[in-house]
Amino acid sequence: MKKITIFVAVIFILFTANSCFAAYGDVSTWLSRIYAGDGGGPLGAYFDFPEDVMFDNQGNMFIADTYNNVIRKVNTNNVTSTVAGTGSFGYRDGNASSAKFGQPRGLAVSGSTVIVADTWNQKIRKISGGRVTTIVKDDLHFPKGVAIYGSTVYISDSLHGAIKKVSINGGKVTTIQKGHGLIEPEKLKVDSSGKYLYVADYKAHKIFKVTISDGNIELIAGSGESGYKEGIGAKAVFQNSAGVVIDEEQNTLFVTDGNGYTDRIRKIDLATKETSLVAWDSDMIGINYPKGVDIKGGHVYICNMGLGNIYRFNRYTGIIRDKGELIAGKDRFQNDFGSQKKSLIGWPTFPIFSKDKKYIYLAENNLIRRIKISTKKTKLITGDVVDNYVEAIGTTARFSHIGMMVLSKDGQTIYLADQWNNRIRSLNLNTLETNLISGGGDTNCSGRSCNGYKEGNKNSARFSNPIGLAISPDNKKLYVADTANERIRKVNIATGKTSLIAGSGVTGFADGIGNKAKFSRPYGLTINKAGTKLYVADSYNNRIREINLSTKRVTTLAGNNIRGYRDGYKGDASFSTPNFVIFGNDKFLYTSEAGTHNIRVIDPKNGLVKTITGTDTRGFQNGNRYHSEFNNPSGLLIRPKKGKLYVADTWNDLIRKVDISGSHQFYEKAPIVTGVLPTNHYPYSGNPSETKYLDITGYNFMSAATVYFGNYKANKTYFKNANALTAVIPFGKMPGGTYDVKVVNIDGQEYTKRGAFVIE
């Protein structure tokens, strides 16, 4: 038997070869901050889609700053501070300054104690004495509201359709009411007697009164239909009732209601159950997606999720079109900044370079901002925070959630997918004038039923929530991922005429030609340099698809029907909701993933997928590729020759920079084989179907690894753990001799141990 010795030097070389690219995948913040405004007045504070507001007995105002993942406070001296949270999405108890939350949406305050409905973490947390503790860990599904009376915390367990209670110190959770009209209760308040809870049910479109002692539930108002109508009890109609507060002085309830386009504050007389209108807004100026509501002095305070601020309205006035008064919150979407230190952007979606690479144009909510790369100075060039559809010049133009953008060959025009306006539009960078390229119909419409599907000319074509966009090399055609229509389409830039490239319009998965192919929420789109192939981030199918433009044939480049994370070749690789995909001028594809919050790279020649950076964890963390965290990464921008990849980290409100110096590295370590047991066998007995079970030892083995003995592939490989495999070899077919043993991991990395097995 020939023995092969594996030298320590070989292992050393393997490890040092991997470490010589130490910077690869490292992440830093290039522009902006997660949140800002502490230490100053409330009108200078930036909130990110906050969902609740609450006052304590001293008059301090607390805010659930939902997408900033922090709890903020405005004290009686009008100074803003952070009570708890780092700004990073996550879950961590302990010191308030280092605690992490997951989109907190409900607040209650009692003395110096703050109770938080930590919605995405499915937990109820307590802030007291500078520390955060969890008082309810299990059995909740998206809690959105909390209330306190004495030593009891009441919980709106929204997606369970239930109202529950627990001690303020934790312990057993008791269900007070479930069902009986409750569908998705949101905010709730307890009256001064501690006997009753008033609950706003978002999905039921109703306001309820629940008796705490026996769970008896009584309808206060709401027919159950979605809409708007004042009336008595069940004759009134609510649209999306979210917030509720009790005005015991007037024996009334104040309720927030609306749909983001027309929003209202309504009042219910508890004696008669008659509803009335207090204030409304159809211009998205003073009320927009109102959620939490509280009373202090002569005012009702509204938490505007859509505007990121707190407004107050007169508590005693009748039916007026009261725009109210801004109390806290600065519009993060409308500000220009002169330096990185001061910069703050809001929900960046997609960046592109100017032709000379001196500027980045950034789609940010309903705006386009220009950033000078050398100074990071930003300038708003078009759009407004208010959703609308207006063709105009500069900041008088209006959009409704800009998706992908592409630049014309001459660098003078940006083409963009105006997603919720269901249109493809252009922006002249010289005049800042916008124009319609193609699409008509519904505006400000974000549902899958928006607008329908129709091929046609400039004004007659119909898109439904288009997102992805690519431009042909000849600058004459745009390719569109018509997301809600499950199709890929072509638009003639000069005429606006559309035609189908691929997709049946039916949600599903199928490779095929033209309308025989199926997609499920095709999102990002990119084109190769030759203009012969399109690549689609087929998000809900968790695949990257390839379209041959000459034949319209759709094939799967990488991914499978398993939603998850795994590097590897073609169908062995797994994705989790790939968002955007772009072609780098290094001939590789880059994609961001909403499911794993990772950044991946794909070789279109062989379908090999590698992870550049990310930990499969939502949050915020700079540094090493194995520790970095993103929160819904979206658009990507690449300069491979400079070793830079820019990422629009949407829910962190940041532009991040990723180092991609050198060649793309494998994320996982390569396998190493240290031994085979047994190391030898006598020749086969003459039965060609005879098999043997052998144990392979080593390091860094992955599930679905494959083992080879010389040219013979193991019939079956069983994964035990990262250090052990069992291989079933076709022993009866293998002649005597010495065999090299090779392990190939699913990501394509391999290792061969020479002469590791002998048939004597």
Side-chain angles (χ1 to χ4, degrees):
M1 180 177 70
K2 183 178 180 182
K3 296 182 179 179
I4 303 295
T5 304
I6 303 299
F7 294 99
V8 174
V10 175
I11 297 176
F12 174 78
I13 290 170
L14 284 170
F15 279 103
T16 54
N18 213 29
S19 64
C20 69
F21 294 101
Y24 183 88
D26 284 2
V27 180
S28 58
T29 296
W30 186 75
L31 185 72
S32 189
R33 293 165 288 168
I34 293 180
Y35 70 99
D38 283 354
L43 293 177
Y46 293 93
F47 307 113
D48 198 353
F49 294 92
E51 292 207 21
D52 209 358
V53 59
M54 184 67 58
F55 287 89
D56 66 10
N57 291 334
Q58 285 73 46
N60 299 301
M61 179 171 65
F62 294 83
I63 300 162
D65 195 353
T66 303
Y67 279 83
N68 278 330
N69 302 299
V70 293
I71 307 303
R72 312 284 287 276
K73 181 175 80 170
V74 179
N75 67 17
T76 54
N77 294 320
N78 269 344
V79 177
T80 307
S81 63
T82 296
V83 176
T86 66
S88 173
F89 183 103
Y91 170 63
R92 184 166 64 204
D93 282 343
N95 290 331
S97 61
S98 60
K100 291 185 179 182
F101 296 88
Q103 294 185 15
R105 300 189 179 188
L107 286 180
V109 185
S110 178
S112 60
T113 298
V114 179
I115 301 296
V116 181
D118 192 9
T119 306
W120 271 79
N121 282 325
Q122 324 287 348
K123 293 173 173 58
I124 305 300
R125 317 276 293 279
K126 179 172 75 172
I127 307 170
S128 181
R131 296 188 63 80
V132 177
T133 56
T134 299
I135 63 172
V136 181
K137 295 183 178 181
D138 304 308
D139 300 322
L140 299 177
H141 195 189
F142 267 61
K144 294 183 181 179
V146 284
I148 303 176
Y149 188 86
S151 61
T152 303
V153 175
Y154 299 95
I155 306 163
S156 175
D157 191 4
S158 294
L159 295 192
H160 278 148
I163 305 299
K164 299 178 178 180
K165 69 177 181 179
V166 70
S167 165
I168 199 168
N169 296 314
K172 183 180 179 181
V173 178
T174 304
T175 298
I176 298 173
Q177 176 56 253
K178 183 176 182 180
H180 297 90
L182 290 174
I183 300 176
E184 191 175 315
E186 191 148 322
K187 310 303 180 195
L188 73 169
K189 293 291 191 300
V190 60
D191 75 344
S192 61
S193 71
K195 295 180 179 179
Y196 305 108
L197 286 167
Y198 291 91
V199 182
D201 195 305
Y202 190 81
K203 279 284 182 69
H205 314 292
K206 294 177 180 179
I207 310 300
F208 293 104
K209 176 183 177 182
V210 177
T211 303
I212 292 172
S213 60
D214 59 10
N216 181 65
I217 188 167
E218 175 187 351
L219 176 68
I220 298 297
S223 67
E225 298 176 356
S226 177
Y228 169 67
K229 182 181 178 181
E230 303 296 352
I232 297 175
K235 298 294 184 182
V237 180
F238 292 85
Q239 196 157 30
N240 292 305
S241 46
V244 61
V245 67
I246 310 161
D247 183 349
E248 300 203 31
E249 178 185 320
Q250 300 186 84
N251 197 32
T252 60
L253 299 178
F254 286 95
V255 179
T256 61
D257 191 26
N259 62 356
Y261 302 113
T262 300
D263 296 287
R264 304 172 179 91
I265 303 169
R266 301 171 70 177
K267 186 162 64 174
I268 306 173
D269 187 311
L270 288 174
T272 64
K273 297 184 179 179
E274 183 174 4
T275 70
S276 58
L277 185 63
V278 174
W280 77 96
D281 187 354
S282 58
D283 299 323
M284 307 179 199
I285 296 174
I287 315 174
N288 185 239
Y289 278 119
K291 290 287 188 176
V293 54
D294 202 10
I295 292 174
K296 176 176 171 286
H299 295 92
V300 178
Y301 290 77
I302 302 296
C303 186
N304 281 308
M305 183 185 75
L307 296 172
N309 60 33
I310 309 297
Y311 260 71
R312 72 179 185 185
F313 297 80
N314 191 295
R315 179 178 175 183
Y316 302 108
T317 54
I319 300 175
I320 57 170
R321 196 171 190 273
D322 184 358
K323 289 293 178 65
E325 178 185 2
L326 177 63
I327 294 299
K330 189 174 179 63
D331 184 0
R332 69 191 306 149
F333 298 107
Q334 295 283 43
N335 292 282
D336 294 332
F337 301 93
S339 69
Q340 157 73 345
K341 187 175 181 180
K342 295 181 179 179
S343 65
L344 190 80
I345 54 179
W347 283 46
T349 305
F350 200 85
I352 60 173
F353 282 121
S354 62
K355 187 178 180 181
D356 59 11
K357 300 291 193 298
K358 292 182 179 180
Y359 297 92
I360 289 175
Y361 292 98
L362 178 67
E364 177 190 341
N365 192 28
N366 310 312
L367 321 167
I368 298 177
R369 194 180 299 280
R370 188 182 70 187
I371 306 166
K372 190 172 183 179
I373 296 174
S374 61
T375 64
K376 299 179 184 176
K377 183 177 181 180
T378 74
K379 182 178 181 180
L380 175 63
I381 62 171
T382 190
D384 188 271
V385 66
V386 177
D387 299 57
N388 211 329
Y389 171 62
V390 177
E391 302 291 4
I393 296 175
T395 55
T396 57
R398 295 291 181 270
F399 305 88
S400 189
H401 200 272
I402 299 170
M404 285 189 72
M405 305 188 299
V406 293
L407 189 68
S408 63
K409 190 174 183 179
D410 62 7
Q412 302 302 308
T413 304
I414 289 176
Y415 299 100
L416 60 98
D418 191 359
Q419 184 182 348
W420 294 342
N421 279 328
N422 303 293
R423 287 164 168 82
I424 308 303
R425 299 170 66 182
S426 68
L427 171 67
N428 185 306
L429 291 175
N430 292 320
T431 66
L432 298 184
E433 182 179 3
T434 68
N435 281 287
L436 175 68
I437 297 297
S438 188
D442 293 343
T443 61
N444 289 332
C445 187
S446 59
R448 276 190 171 266
S449 60
C450 290
N451 215 41
Y453 163 72
K454 182 182 179 182
E455 301 294 358
N457 292 316
K458 179 177 180 178
N459 295 298
S460 61
R462 294 289 182 270
F463 297 88
S464 186
N465 289 188
I467 298 175
L469 206 62
I471 190 168
S472 62
D474 64 8
N475 224 51
K476 294 181 179 180
K477 300 176 287 292
L478 292 171
Y479 297 96
V480 181
D482 192 3
T483 303
N485 278 326
E486 312 288 11
R487 291 175 168 95
I488 308 301
R489 299 167 69 180
K490 180 174 70 176
V491 179
N492 183 299
I493 293 175
T495 65
K497 185 177 181 180
T498 69
S499 59
L500 178 68
I501 296 294
S504 68
V506 177
T507 301
F509 169 73
D511 286 336
I513 296 175
N515 62 8
K516 300 299 182 183
K518 291 183 180 180
F519 299 90
S520 184
R521 199 170 180 263
Y523 208 92
L525 194 65
T526 192
I527 192 169
N528 66 350
K529 188 175 181 180
T532 58
K533 293 180 180 179
L534 287 176
Y535 294 89
V536 185
D538 193 3
S539 61
Y540 284 3
N541 277 325
N542 302 299
R543 292 171 167 95
I544 304 299
R545 314 284 290 279
E546 179 182 276
I547 305 175
N548 185 312
L549 286 172
S550 64
T551 64
K552 298 185 180 179
R553 179 177 289 279
V554 180
T555 56
T556 297
L557 176 65
N560 51 54
N561 61 356
I562 300 172
R563 185 177 186 270
Y565 159 70
R566 189 168 67 188
D567 287 352
Y569 285 95
K570 298 183 178 180
D572 288 333
S574 295
F575 295 93
S576 183
T577 320
N579 261 349
F580 290 98
V581 60
I582 64 166
F583 230 116
N585 55 15
D586 57 356
K587 300 180 181 179
F588 287 94
L589 289 165
Y590 297 81
T591 185
S592 56
E593 287 184 271
T596 62
H597 309 281
N598 292 345
I599 310 299
R600 318 280 289 276
V601 62
I602 308 155
D603 188 338
K605 292 181 180 179
N606 56 21
L608 175 61
V609 179
K610 299 179 184 179
T611 298
I612 296 174
T613 191
T615 59
D616 197 15
T617 302
R618 181 200 302 268
F620 169 70
Q621 182 67 50
N622 283 326
N624 186 277
R625 65 189 297 216
Y626 299 105
H627 300 97
S628 63
E629 293 176 354
F630 298 84
N631 194 352
N632 194 27
S634 297
L636 306 171
L637 191 57
I638 181 170
R639 299 190 78 175
K641 291 183 179 179
K642 291 186 176 293
K644 295 178 182 178
L645 176 68
Y646 299 92
V647 182
D649 192 3
T650 303
W651 287 359
N652 276 330
D653 300 309
L654 305 172
I655 303 296
R656 313 281 290 280
K657 185 173 70 175
V658 182
D659 192 312
I660 53 169
S661 302
S663 60
H664 302 306
Q665 305 298 297
F666 282 97
Y667 194 78
E668 303 291 344
K669 294 179 180 179
I672 295 176
V673 178
T674 57
V676 179
L677 296 173
T679 58
N680 65 304
H681 261 290
Y682 290 109
Y684 67 94
S685 61
N687 179 6
S689 63
E690 183 178 4
T691 60
K692 295 289 184 183
Y693 285 74
L694 303 179
D695 290 327
I696 317 297
T697 59
Y699 304 98
N700 310 322
F701 298 149
M702 296 174 67
S703 175
T706 304
V707 178
Y708 294 86
F709 287 74
N711 295 324
Y712 293 89
K713 180 181 178 181
N715 295 348
K716 185 77 175 179
T717 300
Y718 295 96
F719 174 80
K720 293 182 176 180
N721 54 53
N723 305 113
L725 303 170
T726 295
V728 183
I729 64 171
F731 187 73
K733 298 178 181 179
M734 298 169 63
T738 301
Y739 288 85
D740 297 339
V741 177
K742 180 171 68 174
V743 172
V744 183
N745 274 348
I746 195 74
D747 63 4
Q749 295 187 89
E750 62 184 57
Y751 184 92
T752 300
K753 185 174 177 64
R754 304 295 181 186
F757 179 69
V758 176
I759 298 177
E760 296 180 321

